[in-house]
Amino acid sequence: MAGTIAIKNGHVFDPLNEIKGDRMDIYIRNGKVVTELSAAELKDAKEIDASGKTVMPGGVDSHSHVAGAKVNVGRMMRPEDHYKFYQKKTPLTHSGCGYSVPSVYLGGYEYSKMGYTTVFEAAVPPMEARHTHEEMRSTPMIDMGGYLVLGNNWFLMRYLKEGDIEKAAAYIAWMMRTHKTYGIKCVNPAGVENWGWGENVNSLDQANIHFEVTPEDIIKGLTELNEMLGFSMPLHLHANNLGHPGCWEITRDSLKIPKSIKAKPKDPNVEWAETKVNPKRHESVYLTHCQFNAFGGTSWRDFESGVKGITDYVNSHEHVVMDSGCVPFGDATVMTGDGPAIHDLYVLTGNKWSNTDVECECGSGVLPFTYLKSNPVHSVQWAMGLEVLLYVKDAWKSIMTTDSPNGGPFIKYPQVIAWLMSNKARQDTLNECHKWANDRAGLASETREMTLNEIAIVTRANAARTIGLSHSKGSLGIGADGDVAIYDINPAKLEVSDYESIIRAFENAAYTVKGGEVVCQKGEIVAIPEKKTYYTDITVNAEEEKKMIDDVKNWFKYYTIGFSNYPTPEKYLANPTPIKIDAEV
């Protein structure tokens, strides 16, 4: 249970409060950060000596695939994945297995060991929301939420084609409440619906069949609706043509579509922790797993990095934030709502392949994959993922991910951090890679080494701010959740050339504190904390919502389930925590 904790003499990195390694104390009472403790409270408090250690807010992963139907398919189709990584049952913890796609229990434990306390599932199909919440509820240690997949939704495509923006807004608000989800996810707009008929879209102005809307229509429409409703986070965009040589150009052009749409997050009904940096997002679009959307060349023969074309655009515009989708080599499981992209990968590799069409909503695909240093394309992809983070001049425009488990499992984050912090680590890996990594990417000449403060930005502070949780997450300001990660790194003595020590420190936090309770110590789970499930509860005009629901009920004849069985009841959520927004459109 949340208690009273005094973390003493640590080197604190709290970017949202502009604290960059200052030696200071952090106090937590009743699960929240407080200014100080009384003498009587200090006497009974648990004291942690953080002398010579790095103290950061708990890690926040704003894009990971950890729960839901496609994740479970990945577990089922990969028995070989389970043999490689497992944990025995202990008096406190469940057993678990799975390297790239861990079981729900193991996933929660492994995130906590690394100092992470908050993780968001990146793609929730509405029809499969109940199952997703069941898996999130069973995932221990971490607070969670999920993004609702809407970029190929029949109702929205029809409303956008008809120009019925009021009904579209009412539909989105109702869907978020109905499925207890947090933000809008848009995957291969217009293309996934085409994939249900064996086709795709290849340009932003190509209309899809039946609904006759283009990717540009959907990106623009969903961005406008996102700001009209005042979501805490931007539109979460997975651009078209992902994974194809030359796709960086359509990605850049996709980012241009919402450049004139101003971010208008409404004030949610929450108490805000103290921060010195503006805690609210100012971006209208969040580009996800940029690496996979940044392929250059015209074919696999002349494949090269196209990252610079995207980062140059991001560096010169304020409306974009993005996560990286790094590739740390080794086994991965590719899973995405972009069905045609997975099929193309199946044709290339011949690996096991699963494909699903989720009726009137979206689709997905799953395929086992292995990234090899000896493979020319994979070696360039590794370089590209790091370029995404290193080429962006302002760390507040980027977030570190592996698009887990697409680029690789989240347990590889410590290795990615080491590459970002140490040029020697990158050069040593380049020497082991296929020569394309040198010849067809610019990483070899990039000497930037991220600081611990920048690592704190891209692994917690900016993720929390981007998705609108900086009122309680990603900072150590007064009133923030008592989520703290303490690492065995002394900034005063840090030698980044000794990158193995960086990996070891971030693999197993010296302490992970969740809600004011020590839950993990040096890789050992010592307590199972309570957790929260976030979702967005938007209030809109009741008249518009009634008209929309009548319309939805009429079209529900195309579903194989009854309308009354569609919603996800709150009982499926662990400690449901709504973010209430009054849109009244």
Side-chain angles (χ1 to χ4, degrees):
M1 295 178 62
T4 305
I5 292 182
I7 301 169
K8 308 283 284 186
N9 300 316
H11 293 270
V12 177
F13 292 87
D14 180 7
L16 280 166
N17 285 289
E18 299 181 335
I19 299 171
K20 303 178 181 180
D22 300 356
R23 286 190 65 184
M24 57 189 295
D25 303 334
I26 301 294
Y27 300 108
I28 302 171
R29 183 199 303 125
N30 297 328
K32 295 287 186 179
V33 178
V34 295
T35 307
E36 59 183 2
L37 299 174
S38 68
E41 288 172 328
L42 280 170
K43 184 178 178 181
D44 296 328
K46 176 178 178 58
E47 183 174 311
I48 298 175
D49 182 8
S51 300
K53 291 179 171 58
T54 290
V55 178
M56 294 181 178
V60 179
D61 194 343
S62 58
H63 185 104
S64 188
H65 298 279
V66 288
K70 72 178 180 299
V71 181
N72 218 18
V73 168
R75 296 184 186 110
M76 289 188 293
M77 72 189 296
R78 297 215 58 187
E80 71 280 4
D81 194 57
H82 307 320
Y83 306 144
K84 298 173 183 177
F85 199 77
Y86 60 89
Q87 175 180 292
K88 295 181 180 179
K89 181 181 183 297
T90 73
L92 186 62
T93 62
H94 290 263
S95 61
C97 63
Y99 175 71
S100 63
V101 195
S103 58
V104 288
Y105 291 116
L106 187 58
Y109 301 146
E110 291 300 314
Y111 262 115
S112 187
K113 289 177 183 179
M114 297 191 304
Y116 275 73
T117 57
T118 307
V119 179
F120 272 65
E121 164 55 46
V124 182
M127 275 190 68
E128 296 170 350
R130 285 195 188 197
H131 175 65
T132 304
H133 279 296
E134 286 178 320
E135 294 206 338
M136 290 199 294
R137 184 181 62 197
S138 297
T139 302
M141 315 299 290
I142 50 179
D143 294 336
M144 302 185 77
Y147 311 141
L148 195 65
V149 182
L150 293 175
N152 289 270
N153 182 283
W154 282 21
F155 294 95
L156 279 173
M157 288 190 292
R158 182 162 64 98
Y159 293 148
L160 290 173
K161 178 65 177 176
E162 295 169 355
D164 199 336
I165 299 302
E166 287 76 18
K167 199 173 278 187
Y171 177 76
I172 290 172
W174 174 75
M175 286 286 277
M176 289 294 158
R177 293 198 314 274
T178 296
H179 300 295
K180 309 298 184 291
T181 44
Y182 188 81
I184 301 174
K185 176 69 177 288
C186 179
V187 180
N188 185 3
V192 179
E193 169 57 26
N194 266 18
W195 181 237
W197 309 92
E199 299 182 27
N200 199 357
V201 297
N202 302 112
S203 66
L204 292 172
D205 59 358
Q206 178 185 346
N208 67 359
I209 54 179
H210 303 125
F211 292 92
E212 298 182 333
V213 291
T214 67
E216 182 174 3
D217 294 335
I218 293 174
I219 294 170
K220 185 174 185 291
L222 288 181
T223 308
E224 289 176 339
L225 287 161
N226 192 82
E227 303 310 329
M228 181 179 177
L229 290 165
F231 274 92
S232 296
M233 67 176 288
L235 175 70
H236 196 49
L237 177 64
H238 163 134
N240 301 88
N241 286 353
L242 175 139
H244 291 85
C247 68
W248 77 267
E249 293 186 68
I250 197 170
T251 301
R252 179 204 56 198
D253 293 344
S254 298
L255 298 179
K256 292 179 180 179
I257 293 168
K259 69 179 179 181
S260 62
I261 301 173
K262 301 298 182 184
K264 298 176 184 176
K266 295 187 184 298
D267 281 325
N269 185 22
V270 297
E271 293 185 9
W272 287 84
E274 292 182 8
T275 60
K276 289 186 179 178
V277 172
N278 182 357
K280 297 182 181 179
R281 54 103 177 172
H282 56 266
E283 302 88 358
S284 58
V285 62
Y286 171 179
L287 174 67
T288 189
H289 41 64
C290 177
Q291 178 270 134
F292 290 107
N293 282 116
F295 287 12
T298 60
S299 71
W300 296 115
R301 290 185 179 86
D302 63 358
F303 175 82
E304 63 182 1
S305 170
V307 168
K308 196 170 186 304
I310 296 176
T311 54
D312 282 352
Y313 184 83
V314 172
N315 282 329
S316 59
H317 293 82
E318 294 299 316
H319 69 287
V320 184
V321 63
M322 61 186 180
D323 70 59
S324 56
C326 292
V327 171
F329 292 120
D331 284 347
T333 301
V334 183
M335 56 177 64
T336 176
D338 193 343
I342 290 289
H343 175 260
D344 291 345
L345 201 55
Y346 160 71
V347 172
L348 277 173
T349 65
N351 291 349
K352 291 182 287 188
W353 167 56
S354 171
N355 183 81
T356 299
D357 179 62
V358 188
E359 299 194 11
C360 310
E361 299 177 345
C362 55
S364 68
V366 181
L367 180 138
F369 203 78
T370 303
Y371 293 94
L372 302 171
K373 292 177 182 176
S374 58
N375 183 290
V377 172
H378 301 172
S379 66
V380 177
Q381 284 186 266
W382 164 75
M384 289 168 60
L386 300 176
E387 287 177 346
V388 170
L389 295 160
L390 294 170
Y391 285 1
V392 174
K393 296 174 183 177
D394 181 359
W396 287 101
K397 291 187 174 185
S398 57
I399 298 166
M400 188 197 82
T401 70
T402 60
D403 185 20
S404 181
N406 285 280
F410 64 80
I411 59 173
K412 289 290 192 76
Y413 285 177
Q415 176 67 77
V416 177
I417 290 171
W419 282 319
L420 294 173
M421 292 185 68
S422 172
N423 186 38
K424 185 178 189 306
R426 299 196 294 270
Q427 296 302 324
D428 286 352
T429 303
L430 272 167
N431 290 335
E432 299 170 352
C433 285
H434 191 281
K435 69 184 188 70
W436 275 24
N438 270 296
D439 299 345
R440 304 195 180 194
L443 186 67
S445 60
E446 179 57 61
T447 59
R448 177 183 174 188
E449 294 178 325
M450 279 193 169
T451 64
L452 284 168
N453 188 64
E454 289 174 316
I455 294 300
I457 293 173
V458 301
T459 61
R460 48 261 290 156
N462 196 34
R465 186 174 80 160
T466 296
I467 63 175
L469 282 183
S470 51
H471 62 271
S472 61
K473 301 291 185 182
S475 89
L476 297 173
I478 307 308
D481 284 358
D483 294 0
V484 186
I486 304 173
Y487 298 107
D488 241 332
I489 296 175
N490 187 339
K493 298 180 179 179
L494 177 60
E495 294 288 345
V496 294
S497 58
D498 179 18
Y499 53 86
E500 292 293 343
S501 66
I502 297 174
I503 297 172
R504 288 193 299 270
F506 280 101
E507 278 179 341
N508 289 305
Y511 294 90
T512 302
V513 179
K514 169 75 164 58
E517 180 180 12
V518 176
V519 298
C520 189
Q521 190 170 348
K522 295 182 178 177
E524 180 185 356
I525 305 297
V526 297
I528 306 295
E530 289 189 359
K531 60 176 293 179
K532 291 179 280 194
T533 307
Y534 293 99
Y535 70 94
T536 301
D537 182 358
I538 301 182
T539 303
V540 295
N541 182 278
E543 190 89 14
E544 284 296 333
E545 184 165 306
K546 184 180 182 304
K547 287 191 290 186
M548 175 275 302
I549 289 177
D550 289 342
D551 188 38
V552 169
K553 285 181 177 179
N554 180 50
W555 260 47
F556 225 78
K557 62 191 175 187
Y558 296 113
Y559 275 88
T560 58
I561 63 171
F563 183 79
S564 61
N565 294 323
Y566 192 53
T568 302
E570 258 198 2
K571 68 180 182 181
Y572 281 78
L573 281 64
N575 191 14
T577 306
I579 303 299
K580 293 183 178 294
I581 296 173
D582 185 3
E584 283 294 324
V585 296

